[in-house]
Short mmCIF file of all heavy atoms in Angstrom, two decimals:
data_model
loop_
_atom_site.label_atom_id
_atom_site.label_comp_id
_atom_site.label_asym_id
_atom_site.label_seq_id
_atom_site.Cartn_x
_atom_site.Cartn_y
_atom_site.Cartn_z
N MET A 16 15.64 -19.73 14.73
CA MET A 16 14.36 -19.36 15.27
C MET A 16 13.27 -20.12 14.51
O MET A 16 13.28 -20.18 13.29
CB MET A 16 14.15 -17.85 15.13
CG MET A 16 12.77 -17.38 15.58
SD MET A 16 12.54 -15.60 15.47
CE MET A 16 13.46 -15.12 16.90
N LEU A 17 12.35 -20.67 15.24
CA LEU A 17 11.25 -21.41 14.65
C LEU A 17 10.10 -20.47 14.33
O LEU A 17 9.68 -19.68 15.17
CB LEU A 17 10.77 -22.48 15.63
CG LEU A 17 9.53 -23.28 15.22
CD1 LEU A 17 9.83 -24.11 13.98
CD2 LEU A 17 9.09 -24.16 16.37
N PHE A 18 9.61 -20.51 13.10
CA PHE A 18 8.46 -19.70 12.71
C PHE A 18 7.25 -20.61 12.56
O PHE A 18 7.31 -21.61 11.86
CB PHE A 18 8.70 -18.98 11.38
CG PHE A 18 9.65 -17.83 11.51
CD1 PHE A 18 10.96 -17.95 11.15
CD2 PHE A 18 9.20 -16.61 12.00
CE1 PHE A 18 11.84 -16.90 11.26
CE2 PHE A 18 10.06 -15.54 12.13
CZ PHE A 18 11.38 -15.68 11.76
N VAL A 19 6.19 -20.27 13.24
CA VAL A 19 4.92 -20.98 13.13
C VAL A 19 3.94 -20.02 12.49
O VAL A 19 3.80 -18.89 12.94
CB VAL A 19 4.41 -21.42 14.52
CG1 VAL A 19 3.08 -22.12 14.40
CG2 VAL A 19 5.43 -22.31 15.21
N ASP A 20 3.30 -20.45 11.43
CA ASP A 20 2.37 -19.57 10.73
C ASP A 20 0.99 -19.59 11.36
O ASP A 20 0.32 -20.63 11.37
CB ASP A 20 2.26 -19.94 9.25
CG ASP A 20 3.50 -19.57 8.47
OD1 ASP A 20 4.20 -18.64 8.89
OD2 ASP A 20 3.76 -20.21 7.44
N HIS A 21 0.61 -18.48 11.93
CA HIS A 21 -0.74 -18.24 12.43
C HIS A 21 -1.14 -16.91 11.83
O HIS A 21 -0.72 -15.86 12.30
CB HIS A 21 -0.79 -18.16 13.95
CG HIS A 21 -0.46 -19.45 14.62
ND1 HIS A 21 -1.39 -20.46 14.80
CD2 HIS A 21 0.69 -19.92 15.13
CE1 HIS A 21 -0.82 -21.47 15.41
NE2 HIS A 21 0.45 -21.17 15.61
N VAL A 22 -1.92 -16.93 10.77
CA VAL A 22 -2.30 -15.71 10.07
C VAL A 22 -3.31 -14.94 10.90
O VAL A 22 -4.27 -15.50 11.42
CB VAL A 22 -2.87 -16.04 8.68
CG1 VAL A 22 -3.30 -14.77 7.96
CG2 VAL A 22 -1.85 -16.80 7.84
N TYR A 23 -3.07 -13.64 11.05
CA TYR A 23 -4.01 -12.76 11.73
C TYR A 23 -4.08 -11.45 10.96
O TYR A 23 -3.24 -11.16 10.10
CB TYR A 23 -3.63 -12.53 13.19
CG TYR A 23 -2.31 -11.81 13.41
CD1 TYR A 23 -2.27 -10.43 13.54
CD2 TYR A 23 -1.12 -12.50 13.48
CE1 TYR A 23 -1.08 -9.76 13.74
CE2 TYR A 23 0.08 -11.85 13.69
CZ TYR A 23 0.10 -10.48 13.81
OH TYR A 23 1.29 -9.83 14.01
N CYS A 24 -5.07 -10.66 11.24
CA CYS A 24 -5.30 -9.41 10.52
C CYS A 24 -5.22 -8.24 11.48
O CYS A 24 -5.68 -8.33 12.61
CB CYS A 24 -6.69 -9.48 9.88
SG CYS A 24 -7.15 -7.98 9.02
N ILE A 25 -4.64 -7.14 11.02
CA ILE A 25 -4.63 -5.89 11.78
C ILE A 25 -5.59 -4.95 11.07
O ILE A 25 -5.42 -4.64 9.91
CB ILE A 25 -3.21 -5.28 11.83
CG1 ILE A 25 -2.27 -6.22 12.56
CG2 ILE A 25 -3.26 -3.90 12.49
CD1 ILE A 25 -0.82 -5.76 12.58
N GLY A 26 -6.61 -4.50 11.78
CA GLY A 26 -7.63 -3.62 11.20
C GLY A 26 -7.27 -2.16 11.33
O GLY A 26 -6.13 -1.80 11.62
N GLU A 27 -8.26 -1.33 11.13
CA GLU A 27 -8.13 0.12 11.22
C GLU A 27 -7.06 0.62 10.24
O GLU A 27 -7.18 0.44 9.05
CB GLU A 27 -7.86 0.59 12.65
CG GLU A 27 -8.89 0.16 13.66
CD GLU A 27 -10.30 0.63 13.39
OE1 GLU A 27 -10.49 1.76 12.90
OE2 GLU A 27 -11.23 -0.13 13.67
N CYS A 28 -5.97 1.18 10.73
CA CYS A 28 -4.95 1.76 9.85
C CYS A 28 -3.99 0.72 9.28
O CYS A 28 -3.22 1.02 8.40
CB CYS A 28 -4.16 2.83 10.59
SG CYS A 28 -3.08 2.19 11.88
N GLY A 29 -4.01 -0.49 9.80
CA GLY A 29 -3.12 -1.54 9.30
C GLY A 29 -1.78 -1.61 9.99
O GLY A 29 -1.00 -2.51 9.74
N GLY A 30 -1.50 -0.65 10.87
CA GLY A 30 -0.25 -0.66 11.60
C GLY A 30 -0.43 -1.28 12.97
O GLY A 30 -1.42 -1.04 13.65
N ALA A 31 0.52 -2.10 13.37
CA ALA A 31 0.44 -2.77 14.68
C ALA A 31 0.51 -1.74 15.80
O ALA A 31 1.44 -0.95 15.86
CB ALA A 31 1.57 -3.78 14.80
N ASN A 32 -0.48 -1.76 16.69
CA ASN A 32 -0.44 -0.83 17.82
C ASN A 32 -0.79 -1.50 19.15
O ASN A 32 -0.98 -0.82 20.14
CB ASN A 32 -1.32 0.39 17.58
CG ASN A 32 -2.79 0.04 17.47
OD1 ASN A 32 -3.19 -1.09 17.74
ND2 ASN A 32 -3.60 1.00 17.07
N GLN A 33 -0.88 -2.80 19.16
CA GLN A 33 -1.02 -3.53 20.41
C GLN A 33 -0.55 -4.96 20.24
O GLN A 33 -0.55 -5.49 19.14
CB GLN A 33 -2.46 -3.50 20.92
CG GLN A 33 -3.45 -4.25 20.07
CD GLN A 33 -4.87 -4.09 20.57
OE1 GLN A 33 -5.40 -2.99 20.53
NE2 GLN A 33 -5.46 -5.15 21.04
N LYS A 34 -0.10 -5.53 21.35
CA LYS A 34 0.37 -6.91 21.34
C LYS A 34 -0.72 -7.80 21.94
O LYS A 34 -1.51 -7.36 22.76
CB LYS A 34 1.64 -7.05 22.17
CG LYS A 34 2.83 -6.34 21.58
CD LYS A 34 4.04 -6.53 22.46
CE LYS A 34 5.24 -5.76 21.92
NZ LYS A 34 6.41 -5.93 22.79
N SER A 35 -0.71 -9.04 21.52
CA SER A 35 -1.64 -10.02 22.05
C SER A 35 -0.97 -11.38 21.99
O SER A 35 0.21 -11.48 21.67
CB SER A 35 -2.95 -10.01 21.24
OG SER A 35 -3.93 -10.80 21.89
N LYS A 36 -1.71 -12.41 22.29
CA LYS A 36 -1.21 -13.78 22.23
C LYS A 36 -2.06 -14.57 21.25
O LYS A 36 -3.29 -14.43 21.21
CB LYS A 36 -1.28 -14.46 23.60
CG LYS A 36 -0.44 -13.80 24.67
CD LYS A 36 1.00 -14.14 24.49
CE LYS A 36 1.83 -13.53 25.64
NZ LYS A 36 3.23 -13.76 25.46
N CYS A 37 -1.43 -15.44 20.47
CA CYS A 37 -2.15 -16.34 19.57
C CYS A 37 -3.03 -17.25 20.44
O CYS A 37 -2.51 -17.87 21.38
CB CYS A 37 -1.17 -17.16 18.75
SG CYS A 37 -1.96 -18.47 17.78
N PRO A 38 -4.33 -17.33 20.14
CA PRO A 38 -5.19 -18.19 20.95
C PRO A 38 -4.89 -19.68 20.79
O PRO A 38 -5.29 -20.48 21.63
CB PRO A 38 -6.60 -17.86 20.46
CG PRO A 38 -6.43 -17.26 19.11
CD PRO A 38 -5.07 -16.63 19.10
N GLU A 39 -4.18 -20.05 19.73
CA GLU A 39 -3.85 -21.46 19.51
C GLU A 39 -2.58 -21.90 20.23
O GLU A 39 -2.55 -22.97 20.83
CB GLU A 39 -3.72 -21.74 18.01
CG GLU A 39 -5.01 -21.62 17.26
CD GLU A 39 -4.86 -21.93 15.78
OE1 GLU A 39 -3.89 -22.62 15.41
OE2 GLU A 39 -5.71 -21.48 15.01
N CYS A 40 -1.52 -21.08 20.16
CA CYS A 40 -0.24 -21.53 20.71
C CYS A 40 0.35 -20.60 21.76
O CYS A 40 1.35 -20.92 22.38
CB CYS A 40 0.78 -21.73 19.59
SG CYS A 40 1.36 -20.19 18.85
N GLY A 41 -0.25 -19.41 21.93
CA GLY A 41 0.25 -18.48 22.93
C GLY A 41 1.40 -17.60 22.46
O GLY A 41 1.92 -16.81 23.24
N ALA A 42 1.80 -17.71 21.19
CA ALA A 42 2.89 -16.87 20.67
C ALA A 42 2.47 -15.41 20.67
O ALA A 42 1.29 -15.09 20.48
CB ALA A 42 3.27 -17.31 19.26
N GLU A 43 3.42 -14.52 20.89
CA GLU A 43 3.12 -13.10 20.87
C GLU A 43 2.85 -12.65 19.43
O GLU A 43 3.61 -12.98 18.51
CB GLU A 43 4.29 -12.30 21.45
CG GLU A 43 3.96 -10.83 21.63
CD GLU A 43 5.03 -10.10 22.40
OE1 GLU A 43 6.13 -9.92 21.84
OE2 GLU A 43 4.78 -9.75 23.56
N ILE A 44 1.76 -11.92 19.23
CA ILE A 44 1.41 -11.39 17.91
C ILE A 44 1.13 -9.89 18.04
O ILE A 44 0.94 -9.38 19.13
CB ILE A 44 0.18 -12.12 17.30
CG1 ILE A 44 -1.04 -11.99 18.20
CG2 ILE A 44 0.51 -13.58 17.03
CD1 ILE A 44 -2.32 -12.55 17.59
N GLY A 45 1.12 -9.21 16.90
CA GLY A 45 0.86 -7.78 16.88
C GLY A 45 2.14 -6.99 16.97
O GLY A 45 3.15 -7.35 16.38
N GLY A 46 2.10 -5.89 17.70
CA GLY A 46 3.26 -5.03 17.84
C GLY A 46 2.88 -3.71 18.47
O GLY A 46 1.76 -3.54 18.96
N GLN A 47 3.80 -2.76 18.43
CA GLN A 47 3.56 -1.44 18.98
C GLN A 47 4.19 -0.39 18.09
O GLN A 47 5.17 -0.66 17.40
CB GLN A 47 4.14 -1.33 20.39
CG GLN A 47 3.43 -2.21 21.39
CD GLN A 47 4.03 -2.09 22.77
OE1 GLN A 47 5.23 -2.04 22.94
NE2 GLN A 47 3.15 -2.04 23.77
N GLN A 48 3.63 0.81 18.13
CA GLN A 48 4.14 1.95 17.37
C GLN A 48 4.33 1.61 15.90
O GLN A 48 5.32 1.97 15.27
CB GLN A 48 5.44 2.47 17.99
CG GLN A 48 5.23 2.95 19.41
CD GLN A 48 6.51 3.41 20.06
OE1 GLN A 48 7.61 2.99 19.69
NE2 GLN A 48 6.37 4.27 21.03
N HIS A 49 3.37 0.89 15.34
CA HIS A 49 3.34 0.50 13.94
C HIS A 49 4.50 -0.40 13.54
O HIS A 49 4.91 -0.44 12.38
CB HIS A 49 3.27 1.72 13.02
CG HIS A 49 1.99 2.48 13.19
ND1 HIS A 49 1.98 3.80 13.55
CD2 HIS A 49 0.70 2.10 13.06
CE1 HIS A 49 0.72 4.21 13.64
NE2 HIS A 49 -0.07 3.19 13.34
N ARG A 50 5.06 -1.13 14.50
CA ARG A 50 6.15 -2.08 14.24
C ARG A 50 5.70 -3.46 14.71
O ARG A 50 5.24 -3.63 15.84
CB ARG A 50 7.42 -1.70 15.00
CG ARG A 50 7.94 -0.32 14.67
CD ARG A 50 8.66 -0.36 13.34
NE ARG A 50 9.21 0.95 13.05
CZ ARG A 50 9.11 1.55 11.88
NH1 ARG A 50 8.49 0.97 10.90
NH2 ARG A 50 9.64 2.71 11.69
N LEU A 51 5.83 -4.45 13.83
CA LEU A 51 5.46 -5.82 14.20
C LEU A 51 6.43 -6.37 15.25
O LEU A 51 7.62 -6.06 15.22
CB LEU A 51 5.49 -6.73 12.97
CG LEU A 51 4.40 -6.50 11.93
CD1 LEU A 51 4.66 -7.35 10.71
CD2 LEU A 51 3.02 -6.79 12.51
N THR A 52 5.91 -7.17 16.15
CA THR A 52 6.71 -7.85 17.14
C THR A 52 7.67 -8.81 16.44
O THR A 52 7.34 -9.39 15.40
CB THR A 52 5.79 -8.64 18.09
OG1 THR A 52 4.95 -7.70 18.76
CG2 THR A 52 6.55 -9.45 19.09
N GLU A 53 8.87 -8.98 16.99
CA GLU A 53 9.85 -9.89 16.41
C GLU A 53 9.22 -11.26 16.21
O GLU A 53 8.50 -11.77 17.06
CB GLU A 53 11.06 -10.02 17.33
CG GLU A 53 12.16 -10.86 16.74
CD GLU A 53 13.40 -10.92 17.62
OE1 GLU A 53 13.59 -10.03 18.45
OE2 GLU A 53 14.16 -11.88 17.45
N GLY A 54 9.47 -11.85 15.07
CA GLY A 54 8.91 -13.15 14.73
C GLY A 54 7.62 -13.06 13.94
O GLY A 54 7.15 -14.05 13.41
N ASN A 55 7.03 -11.86 13.87
CA ASN A 55 5.83 -11.64 13.05
C ASN A 55 6.28 -11.11 11.70
O ASN A 55 7.29 -10.41 11.60
CB ASN A 55 4.92 -10.62 13.72
CG ASN A 55 4.20 -11.14 14.94
OD1 ASN A 55 3.03 -10.89 15.11
ND2 ASN A 55 4.89 -11.86 15.81
N ARG A 56 5.54 -11.45 10.67
CA ARG A 56 5.90 -10.97 9.33
C ARG A 56 4.65 -10.79 8.50
O ARG A 56 3.59 -11.29 8.83
CB ARG A 56 6.88 -11.93 8.66
CG ARG A 56 6.38 -13.34 8.52
CD ARG A 56 7.50 -14.27 8.05
NE ARG A 56 7.11 -15.64 8.21
CZ ARG A 56 6.44 -16.35 7.30
NH1 ARG A 56 6.09 -15.79 6.16
NH2 ARG A 56 6.12 -17.60 7.52
N LEU A 57 4.80 -10.06 7.43
CA LEU A 57 3.70 -9.79 6.52
C LEU A 57 3.21 -11.08 5.86
O LEU A 57 4.02 -11.94 5.50
CB LEU A 57 4.19 -8.82 5.43
CG LEU A 57 3.21 -8.51 4.31
CD1 LEU A 57 2.06 -7.68 4.83
CD2 LEU A 57 3.92 -7.78 3.19
N ALA A 58 1.90 -11.19 5.71
CA ALA A 58 1.30 -12.31 4.97
C ALA A 58 0.69 -11.73 3.70
O ALA A 58 -0.48 -11.36 3.67
CB ALA A 58 0.24 -13.01 5.82
N PRO A 59 1.48 -11.60 2.62
CA PRO A 59 0.98 -10.93 1.42
C PRO A 59 -0.20 -11.63 0.77
O PRO A 59 -0.93 -11.01 0.00
CB PRO A 59 2.20 -10.90 0.48
CG PRO A 59 3.08 -11.98 0.97
CD PRO A 59 2.84 -12.10 2.45
N GLU A 60 -0.42 -12.90 1.08
CA GLU A 60 -1.56 -13.60 0.50
C GLU A 60 -2.89 -13.04 1.02
O GLU A 60 -3.94 -13.29 0.43
CB GLU A 60 -1.48 -15.11 0.75
CG GLU A 60 -1.52 -15.53 2.21
CD GLU A 60 -0.16 -15.54 2.89
OE1 GLU A 60 0.81 -14.97 2.37
OE2 GLU A 60 -0.08 -16.13 3.98
N MET A 61 -2.86 -12.26 2.09
CA MET A 61 -4.09 -11.68 2.65
C MET A 61 -4.64 -10.57 1.75
O MET A 61 -5.82 -10.53 1.46
CB MET A 61 -3.85 -11.13 4.05
CG MET A 61 -3.51 -12.20 5.08
SD MET A 61 -4.86 -13.33 5.39
CE MET A 61 -5.96 -12.28 6.30
N ASP A 62 -3.78 -9.64 1.35
CA ASP A 62 -4.26 -8.50 0.56
C ASP A 62 -3.31 -8.11 -0.57
O ASP A 62 -3.45 -7.06 -1.17
CB ASP A 62 -4.52 -7.29 1.45
CG ASP A 62 -3.27 -6.77 2.13
OD1 ASP A 62 -2.17 -7.33 1.90
OD2 ASP A 62 -3.38 -5.79 2.88
N GLU A 63 -2.33 -8.96 -0.84
CA GLU A 63 -1.35 -8.75 -1.91
C GLU A 63 -0.46 -7.53 -1.70
O GLU A 63 0.17 -7.04 -2.62
CB GLU A 63 -2.04 -8.69 -3.28
CG GLU A 63 -2.78 -9.97 -3.62
CD GLU A 63 -3.47 -9.95 -4.97
OE1 GLU A 63 -3.34 -8.95 -5.71
OE2 GLU A 63 -4.13 -10.93 -5.28
N ALA A 64 -0.39 -7.02 -0.46
CA ALA A 64 0.49 -5.89 -0.17
C ALA A 64 1.94 -6.38 -0.22
O ALA A 64 2.27 -7.40 0.37
CB ALA A 64 0.20 -5.31 1.20
N PRO A 65 2.81 -5.66 -0.93
CA PRO A 65 4.20 -6.09 -0.99
C PRO A 65 4.98 -5.79 0.28
O PRO A 65 6.02 -6.39 0.53
CB PRO A 65 4.76 -5.31 -2.18
CG PRO A 65 3.89 -4.11 -2.30
CD PRO A 65 2.53 -4.53 -1.81
N PHE A 66 4.50 -4.86 1.11
CA PHE A 66 5.19 -4.47 2.33
C PHE A 66 4.17 -4.28 3.45
O PHE A 66 3.02 -3.94 3.20
CB PHE A 66 5.94 -3.14 2.15
CG PHE A 66 6.88 -3.15 0.98
CD1 PHE A 66 6.58 -2.46 -0.17
CD2 PHE A 66 8.08 -3.84 1.04
CE1 PHE A 66 7.44 -2.46 -1.24
CE2 PHE A 66 8.95 -3.85 -0.04
CZ PHE A 66 8.63 -3.15 -1.18
N ALA A 67 4.62 -4.44 4.69
CA ALA A 67 3.75 -4.19 5.84
C ALA A 67 3.44 -2.70 5.93
O ALA A 67 4.26 -1.85 5.58
CB ALA A 67 4.45 -4.65 7.12
N ALA A 68 2.24 -2.37 6.41
CA ALA A 68 1.86 -0.97 6.59
C ALA A 68 2.84 -0.29 7.52
O ALA A 68 3.29 -0.86 8.51
CB ALA A 68 0.45 -0.88 7.16
N PHE A 69 3.21 0.93 7.21
CA PHE A 69 4.10 1.76 8.00
C PHE A 69 5.53 1.22 8.10
O PHE A 69 6.30 1.67 8.92
CB PHE A 69 3.55 1.99 9.42
CG PHE A 69 2.27 2.78 9.40
CD1 PHE A 69 1.05 2.14 9.42
CD2 PHE A 69 2.30 4.16 9.33
CE1 PHE A 69 -0.13 2.85 9.38
CE2 PHE A 69 1.12 4.89 9.30
CZ PHE A 69 -0.10 4.23 9.33
N SER A 70 5.89 0.25 7.24
CA SER A 70 7.26 -0.25 7.26
C SER A 70 8.16 0.72 6.50
O SER A 70 7.70 1.56 5.73
CB SER A 70 7.33 -1.63 6.60
OG SER A 70 7.04 -1.55 5.22
N GLU A 71 9.44 0.60 6.73
CA GLU A 71 10.39 1.44 6.00
C GLU A 71 10.28 1.19 4.50
O GLU A 71 10.39 2.10 3.70
CB GLU A 71 11.82 1.16 6.48
CG GLU A 71 12.08 1.59 7.91
CD GLU A 71 11.90 3.07 8.12
OE1 GLU A 71 12.32 3.86 7.24
OE2 GLU A 71 11.33 3.45 9.16
N GLU A 72 10.05 -0.07 4.12
CA GLU A 72 9.95 -0.40 2.70
C GLU A 72 8.71 0.21 2.07
O GLU A 72 8.72 0.62 0.92
CB GLU A 72 9.89 -1.92 2.50
CG GLU A 72 11.09 -2.66 2.99
CD GLU A 72 10.99 -3.09 4.45
OE1 GLU A 72 10.03 -2.71 5.14
OE2 GLU A 72 11.89 -3.80 4.90
N ALA A 73 7.62 0.25 2.82
CA ALA A 73 6.35 0.75 2.27
C ALA A 73 6.39 2.24 2.06
O ALA A 73 5.74 2.76 1.15
CB ALA A 73 5.19 0.39 3.19
N ASN A 74 7.13 2.94 2.90
CA ASN A 74 7.18 4.40 2.80
C ASN A 74 5.77 4.97 2.77
O ASN A 74 5.52 6.02 2.20
CB ASN A 74 8.00 4.83 1.60
CG ASN A 74 8.38 6.30 1.65
OD1 ASN A 74 8.41 6.89 2.72
ND2 ASN A 74 8.66 6.88 0.51
N ASN A 75 4.81 4.23 3.33
CA ASN A 75 3.41 4.58 3.45
C ASN A 75 2.67 4.73 2.13
O ASN A 75 1.49 4.99 2.12
CB ASN A 75 3.21 5.85 4.29
CG ASN A 75 3.60 5.62 5.72
OD1 ASN A 75 3.55 4.50 6.20
ND2 ASN A 75 3.98 6.67 6.40
N LEU A 76 3.30 4.60 0.99
CA LEU A 76 2.60 4.73 -0.28
C LEU A 76 2.90 3.61 -1.26
O LEU A 76 2.17 3.41 -2.21
CB LEU A 76 2.92 6.06 -0.96
CG LEU A 76 2.32 7.29 -0.29
CD1 LEU A 76 2.80 8.55 -1.01
CD2 LEU A 76 0.82 7.25 -0.28
N ARG A 77 3.97 2.85 -1.07
CA ARG A 77 4.34 1.85 -2.06
C ARG A 77 3.38 0.67 -2.13
O ARG A 77 3.43 -0.11 -3.06
CB ARG A 77 5.75 1.34 -1.80
CG ARG A 77 6.79 2.38 -2.08
CD ARG A 77 8.18 1.78 -2.01
NE ARG A 77 9.15 2.84 -2.03
CZ ARG A 77 10.36 2.74 -1.52
NH1 ARG A 77 10.74 1.62 -0.93
NH2 ARG A 77 11.19 3.73 -1.57
N ASN A 78 2.49 0.51 -1.14
CA ASN A 78 1.50 -0.55 -1.19
C ASN A 78 0.37 -0.19 -2.16
O ASN A 78 -0.48 -1.02 -2.44
CB ASN A 78 0.89 -0.83 0.18
CG ASN A 78 1.76 -1.74 1.02
OD1 ASN A 78 2.52 -2.54 0.49
ND2 ASN A 78 1.64 -1.63 2.32
N PHE A 79 0.33 1.02 -2.63
CA PHE A 79 -0.77 1.48 -3.47
C PHE A 79 -0.29 1.86 -4.86
O PHE A 79 0.76 2.46 -5.01
CB PHE A 79 -1.45 2.70 -2.84
CG PHE A 79 -1.95 2.44 -1.46
CD1 PHE A 79 -1.23 2.85 -0.35
CD2 PHE A 79 -3.15 1.78 -1.27
CE1 PHE A 79 -1.69 2.61 0.92
CE2 PHE A 79 -3.62 1.53 0.00
CZ PHE A 79 -2.89 1.94 1.10
N ASN A 80 -1.09 1.52 -5.84
CA ASN A 80 -0.86 2.02 -7.18
C ASN A 80 -1.67 3.32 -7.27
O ASN A 80 -2.90 3.29 -7.31
CB ASN A 80 -1.34 1.00 -8.23
CG ASN A 80 -1.11 1.50 -9.63
OD1 ASN A 80 -0.81 2.67 -9.86
ND2 ASN A 80 -1.25 0.60 -10.59
N LEU A 81 -0.98 4.44 -7.25
CA LEU A 81 -1.68 5.72 -7.19
C LEU A 81 -2.61 5.94 -8.37
O LEU A 81 -3.59 6.68 -8.28
CB LEU A 81 -0.67 6.86 -7.08
CG LEU A 81 0.19 6.83 -5.81
CD1 LEU A 81 1.15 8.00 -5.79
CD2 LEU A 81 -0.69 6.85 -4.56
N ALA A 82 -2.35 5.28 -9.49
CA ALA A 82 -3.24 5.40 -10.65
C ALA A 82 -4.60 4.77 -10.38
O ALA A 82 -5.59 5.13 -11.01
CB ALA A 82 -2.60 4.77 -11.88
N ASP A 83 -4.65 3.83 -9.41
CA ASP A 83 -5.91 3.18 -9.08
C ASP A 83 -6.77 3.97 -8.11
O ASP A 83 -7.94 3.67 -7.92
CB ASP A 83 -5.66 1.80 -8.47
CG ASP A 83 -5.11 0.81 -9.48
OD1 ASP A 83 -5.27 1.05 -10.70
OD2 ASP A 83 -4.52 -0.20 -9.05
N LEU A 84 -6.18 4.99 -7.46
CA LEU A 84 -6.94 5.77 -6.48
C LEU A 84 -7.74 6.83 -7.22
O LEU A 84 -7.23 7.60 -8.00
CB LEU A 84 -5.98 6.42 -5.48
CG LEU A 84 -5.14 5.47 -4.65
CD1 LEU A 84 -4.20 6.25 -3.76
CD2 LEU A 84 -6.02 4.55 -3.83
N HIS A 85 -9.00 6.88 -6.94
CA HIS A 85 -9.89 7.84 -7.63
C HIS A 85 -10.46 8.82 -6.65
O HIS A 85 -10.85 8.56 -5.62
CB HIS A 85 -11.04 7.13 -8.33
CG HIS A 85 -10.56 6.17 -9.36
ND1 HIS A 85 -10.22 6.54 -10.62
CD2 HIS A 85 -10.35 4.84 -9.29
CE1 HIS A 85 -9.84 5.46 -11.30
NE2 HIS A 85 -9.91 4.42 -10.51
#
């Protein structure tokens, strides 16, 4: 499978809840039910998150250092 990097941002809660098309190449981006569409992946260089929001790995809290939350 060929991966083309087109970085995009998911706002609000950070979980994918709609699909769209890349305006440059037409590739499907986004996702549904907080799951990224196949071929999409986390871009940690955006916010240094180790896991995608709402992913099994994130367990909804592992992206945060709880000691930093005030």
Side-chain angles (χ1 to χ4, degrees):
M16 176 178 283
L17 175 65
F18 286 100
V19 178
D20 287 334
H21 295 277
V22 178
Y23 64 92
C24 177
I25 297 176
E27 304 300 324
C28 70
N32 64 9
Q33 67 184 66
K34 293 180 183 179
S35 189
K36 298 283 183 184
C37 172
E39 293 181 22
C40 72
E43 188 171 71
I44 60 173
Q47 293 180 317
Q48 299 178 335
H49 295 122
R50 301 282 182 226
L51 291 173
T52 298
E53 185 177 338
N55 287 223
R56 58 189 167 87
L57 175 69
E60 63 274 15
M61 294 294 288
D62 63 1
E63 299 180 3
F66 306 106
F69 295 95
S70 66
E71 293 298 319
E72 299 89 354
N74 195 23
N75 293 334
L76 289 176
R77 291 189 191 155
N78 278 333
F79 303 100
N80 180 348
L81 297 180
D83 291 340
L84 299 177
H85 300 277

